């Protein structure tokens, strides 16, 4: 599968403070949902959506992430000797050989817009995507693939969107929408983490973006925004005309795996898809009810 958008940025330089102390020495992208790290779910979504180059923007966690993504001959030999072909296959599938991996440093965590800016040389002049690994999206068709199919020539950006509760609008980029056409709500603005009283809607951005060079150019002149950070949201807003921003209501379920509640919900939901694990969940629930 191939399309004209070949590159995708993974901003991985965040500190993961919401998940301390676990993230004190473990990169948040390596936290597992069952036995698969969050990073791997995002890689699989990108690969299954047809991306060919994955650009990892890393901070102090670079060596851990590079270790995960590099082949480990010693471990491979050990698994071969023990005849563990299934596990060996899983390791080979971490990053398919046809996929190019590029590493970029983000020296200081100055925000999502800054992370994308750090990768600018690698995506200059072409459309590209951004994926946030702590937003796990489980769907029939990969969310990014749905969004690529939604991109029209008149759009500057397609951003994954979902309705959130009033009390939660201050955790998200919130769209100011004009009109809806199928899954796409055309937006004239997007505001980062507004207060519930100032929020233009309850339609929130979640961590999937298909972006054009106009958005990248807009980052250059940005001043720090919400939280004192260089916000990707502000660059999207600065490069948006009335009909050029598509808030895309994806098909699928999103889990906020930057929070323990989201990690629990994702873990239980995926466990219930597996007969053995489902039996364990049911056993625990039944034993609590009986107590
Ligand atoms: C980031 C974006 C925000 C978006 C959110 C989705 O915020 O800045 O616009 O709504 O991801 O998860 P963060 O959660 O990194 O503070």
């Amino acid at each position: 599968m191939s399309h004209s958008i070949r590159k995708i940025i993974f901003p991985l330089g965040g500190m993961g403070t919401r998940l301390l102390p676990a993230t004190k020495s473990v990169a948040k992208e390596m936290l597992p949902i069952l036995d698969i790290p969050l990073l791997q779910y995002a890689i699989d979504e990108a690969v299954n959506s047809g991306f060919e180059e994955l650009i990892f923007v890393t901070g102090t966690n670079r060596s851990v992430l590079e270790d995960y993504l590099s082949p480990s001959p010693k471990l491979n030999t050990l698994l071969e000797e023990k005849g563990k072909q299934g596990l060996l296959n899983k390791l080979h599938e971490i990053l398919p050989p046809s996929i190019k991996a590029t590493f970029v440093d983000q020296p200081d965590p100055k925000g999502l817009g800054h992370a994308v800016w750090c990768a600018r040389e690698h995506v200059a002049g072409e459309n590209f995507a951004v994926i946030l690994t702590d937003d796990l999206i489980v769907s029939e068709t990969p969310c990014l693939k749905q969004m690529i199919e939604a991109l029209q020539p008149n759009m500057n950006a397609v951003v994954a969107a979902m309705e959130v509760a009033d009390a939660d609008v201050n955790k998200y980029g919130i769209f100011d929408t004009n009109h809806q056409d199928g899954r796409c709500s055309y937006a004239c603005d997007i505001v980062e983490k507004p207060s519930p009283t100032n929020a233009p809607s309850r339609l929130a951005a979640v961590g999937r973006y298909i972006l054009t060079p106009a958005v990248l150019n807009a980052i250059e002149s940005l001043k720090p925004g919400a939280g004192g950070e260089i916000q990707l949201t502000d660059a999207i807003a600065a490069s948006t005309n009335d009909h050029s921003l598509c808030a895309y209501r994806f098909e699928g379920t999103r889990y906020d795996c930057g929070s323990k509640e989201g990690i629990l919900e994702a873990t239980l939901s995926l466990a219930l898809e597996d007969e053995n694990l489902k039996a364990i969940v049911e056993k625990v629930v039944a034993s609590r009810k009986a107590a």
Side-chain angles (χ1 to χ4, degrees):
M1 184 202 336
S2 156
H3 48 69
S4 59
I5 309 177
R6 298 181 303 116
K7 299 179 181 176
I8 180 163
I9 298 174
F10 289 63
L12 305 174
M15 303 294 285
T17 43
R18 281 196 290 162
L19 292 168
L20 281 169
T23 48
K24 184 164 181 281
S25 62
V26 177
K28 68 172 174 164
E29 301 73 23
M30 295 313 300
L31 294 177
I33 302 298
L34 301 176
D35 54 352
I36 300 177
L38 285 169
L39 178 62
Q40 189 64 54
Y41 288 100
I43 291 174
D44 291 348
E45 183 180 330
V47 170
N48 291 332
S49 299
F51 289 93
E52 295 163 8
E53 180 173 352
L54 313 188
I55 302 164
F56 302 106
V57 181
T58 59
T60 50
N61 53 4
R62 176 166 177 159
S63 61
V64 174
L65 298 168
E66 269 181 331
D67 273 357
Y68 178 72
L69 294 165
S70 311
S72 171
K74 208 171 162 184
L75 181 58
N76 291 352
T77 310
L78 194 80
L79 293 174
E80 256 162 42
E81 283 170 5
K82 290 183 182 281
K84 308 245 179 203
Q85 195 56 44
L87 290 177
L88 204 50
N89 291 346
K90 281 191 184 176
L91 295 187
H92 290 321
E93 286 163 7
I94 287 178
L95 202 58
S98 61
I99 300 296
K100 181 176 177 195
T102 300
F103 284 86
V104 172
D105 282 323
Q106 183 184 20
D108 296 302
K110 291 187 192 162
L112 187 53
H114 179 253
V116 172
W117 183 240
C118 289
R120 64 193 175 281
E121 283 171 17
H122 299 275
V123 294
E126 54 186 303
N127 295 345
F128 62 98
V130 177
I131 184 167
L132 307 187
T133 54
D134 49 11
D135 280 332
L136 170 60
I137 297 181
V138 177
S139 54
E140 288 273 312
T141 304
C143 182
L144 284 164
K145 186 165 185 278
Q146 299 174 41
M147 293 166 66
I148 289 165
E149 285 165 6
L151 181 67
Q152 300 292 324
N154 61 333
M155 293 174 181
N156 269 349
V158 179
V159 181
M162 61 183 263
E163 298 278 343
V164 296
D166 282 335
D168 289 335
V169 291
N170 60 1
K171 298 180 188 157
Y172 296 92
I174 300 292
F175 296 97
D176 188 351
T177 55
N178 286 340
H179 64 278
Q180 194 171 343
D181 180 10
R183 288 189 172 273
C184 181
S185 281
Y186 286 94
C188 57
D189 199 6
I190 177 168
V191 188
E192 183 69 12
K193 302 193 172 72
S195 67
T197 43
N198 292 333
S201 74
R202 288 173 53 233
L203 191 61
V206 297
R208 305 289 184 276
Y209 305 80
I210 305 290
L211 302 174
T212 55
V215 178
L216 192 63
N217 295 340
I219 300 178
E220 187 162 12
S221 45
L222 284 185
K223 298 205 164 52
E229 298 188 340
I230 303 291
Q231 296 289 355
L232 183 58
T233 302
D234 295 343
I236 295 170
S239 56
T240 292
N241 309 313
D242 266 7
H243 297 279
S244 61
L245 172 58
C246 165
Y248 183 81
R249 295 163 195 262
F250 56 94
E251 166 275 309
T253 306
R254 172 260 188 179
Y255 301 96
D256 173 13
C257 294
S259 73
K260 62 181 169 186
E261 293 82 359
I263 290 179
L264 175 65
E265 196 182 351
T267 304
L268 286 174
S269 300
L270 294 186
L272 293 174
E273 301 293 313
D274 175 290
E275 282 310 310
N276 289 333
L277 299 177
K278 186 177 172 186
I280 294 172
V281 174
E282 288 172 347
K283 193 172 110 190
V284 172
V285 172
S287 72
R288 288 293 182 281
K289 273 191 185 154

